Amino acid sequence: MTRHADLVLTGGTVLTFDAQDSEADGLAVLDGEVVALGDVAPLVGPDTRVVDLRGRTVLPGINDSHLHGAWLGAMWPNTLLGGPPAEQTGPLVSDAASRRAAILRAGDVVAELGITSYTEPGLGPGEDEGATGCFSAAVLEEYAALAASGELRARVTALRLFGVLDGPSSLADFERGLATPPPAADPRWLAVTGVKIFADGIPPMKSAWTHSCYTDGTSGHLLVDGEHDAEREANLRRMIDTAHRAGAQIGVHATGDRTIDVVVSAMADAIAAHGRAGRHYLIHGDLISAATLATLPGLGIGLNTQPGIATSTGSWLVAAMGEDALHSAWPLQSAFDHGVPVCLSSDAPVLGPDWRQWIAAAAEWTAATPGPDLMRRLLRGYTVNAALQDGAESWKGTLEIGKVADLCVLETNPLTINPADLPKVGVELTVVGGKVVFER
Ligand SMILES: [Zn+2]
């Protein structure tokens, strides 16, 4: 006898994002997994919750692959660039209760947006004395505790941080940190996949390491410890090689073209010497050159970029580097053309976490005509490609039988509208592992 479904959604459109971009008109969930697509009526029993979609559209749950959850939860509704941050007199979080409250608040904020997974890009001992308290090893421990008690409202991937956020790091601290085990957790709720390295700063602050000079004649430098460029580069290469050999995923904050070239070359060397391991990726990638971009797919290196930051800070880039720099910065269309697995993300709370706005912003950075193909491609950056970055494409990121029931229900089918109109489309329902975590 077939068991009845726990939850059924019917009478709308299900965009599965599977390899064929199949669509269905219904979806059934049992024990947290998708068990049927299409005709789900036979699975409805007396205890099944039936959601009549009334023409609304189901997407795979949104995965914001670069979002500082604890920091967002502690700051919300303030953000760094989207409004004046609240006056900060001490750390935003300072004890277990406040860390926990911040993570839970982030869970509420993202649930309302249909976000069912996110990556915490950098938690660890490098920030134990940090000004906000939001990136410490204790925050990662709190995530593990919430994962164990079943209280997380989104699935979390975390990268560990053995240096200072947006600041220096040393090879010795990195090697010592990497040798310590991360907290244990169910990897479907908290997956500690690897490490975050801050290789350089950002172009508007003239702290990204670049081949050409800023308007003041400087060209930045790497953040990794060292007396001079060659020593800093050697230490960064050692970090990447060490983490790769340890099987860790490596996410590198890299914005300047010179930094990006060194990072990709170091990753390529590690792959050539030791084989593929980890889904390594560049974070931000503002000034990546066309030549380096073209090498990423062959190396399996991803690009995690924030269209909202590109839109918000483009004029600052012009002030630091001149008008020409903007023409080649954030080459999203070129990344798509080369087949780079692009992840789009918010970097919240630098900006707000509303992915609908950042998909609209991303469309502005492409040369493509608005339409279903472009929308699918942009949504993949928040679903399929983000699951790839997580190394979790076998069980999440698309709506297929046997995958987890992480769902985002929108009031309008996004494939029928222009990206510029997406921010007005309401999120109606969010489901994580078959459980409703938000309902309008
Ligand atoms: Zn960030």
Side-chain angles (χ1 to χ4, degrees), residues 4-10 27-30 40-41 43-54 56 407 409 428-431 434-440:
H4 294 130
D6 299 322
L7 172 69
V8 150
L9 297 93
T10 181
L27 177 147
V29 178
L30 177 64
V40 292
L43 292 169
V44 175
D47 297 323
T48 303
R49 176 168 176 201
V50 179
V51 173
D52 180 0
L53 290 167
R54 301 190 310 277
R56 294 172 297 178
L407 316 173
V409 177
E428 303 270 304
L429 183 76
T430 308
V431 174
K435 261 179 58 183
V436 173
V437 294
F438 169 74
E439 196 165 10
R440 183 165 303 284

Side-chain angles (χ1 to χ4, degrees), residues 141-232:
E141 295 290 343
E142 198 58 46
Y143 269 109
L146 288 166
S149 60
E151 289 171 271
L152 285 181
R153 301 187 69 198
R155 304 179 194 279
V156 177
T157 300
L159 299 178
R160 291 198 292 168
L161 179 63
F162 303 118
V164 174
L165 190 93
D166 288 316
S169 55
S170 78
L171 181 60
D173 288 344
F174 188 82
E175 289 178 336
R176 198 176 315 115
L178 202 60
T180 62
D186 174 351
R188 291 210 170 191
W189 287 98
L190 175 65
V192 185
T193 52
V195 293
K196 167 81 173 278
I197 299 172
F198 282 90
D200 67 357
I202 55 171
M205 305 296 290
K206 304 187 174 76
S207 54
W209 194 33
T210 54
H211 288 299
S212 53
C213 289
Y214 295 104
T215 50
D216 65 0
T218 63
S219 55
H221 60 77
L222 292 174
L223 283 170
V224 175
D225 271 3
E227 293 293 318
H228 44 73
D229 282 342
E231 193 176 309
R232 288 188 281 266

Side-chain angles (χ1 to χ4, degrees), residues 78-113:
N78 295 303
T79 59
L80 286 187
L81 299 180
E87 190 84 12
Q88 192 190 336
T89 49
L92 293 168
V93 296
S94 51
D95 55 15
S98 55
R99 288 186 282 271
R100 183 187 173 82
I103 294 167
L104 291 174
R105 188 157 189 222
D108 290 343
V109 172
V110 302
E112 278 194 38
L113 292 167

Side-chain angles (χ1 to χ4, degrees), residues 59-67 110 113-120 154-157 281 304-305 342-347 353 355 359 378-393 395-398 406-408 430:
L59 307 182
I62 300 298
N63 183 342
D64 191 334
S65 53
H66 187 104
L67 174 149
V110 302
L113 292 167
I115 296 169
T116 59
S117 291
Y118 65 83
T119 287
E120 265 282 1
R155 304 179 194 279
V156 177
T157 300
Y281 61 103
N304 192 307
T305 194
V342 176
C343 284
L344 303 173
S345 59
S346 67
D347 206 2
W355 57 277
I359 283 189
L378 298 173
L379 284 167
R380 269 195 209 102
Y382 265 107
T383 54
V384 179
N385 293 355
L388 268 173
Q389 179 184 292
D390 286 339
E393 71 279 10
W395 59 273
K396 69 176 184 181
T398 63
D406 292 358
L407 316 173
C408 166
T430 308

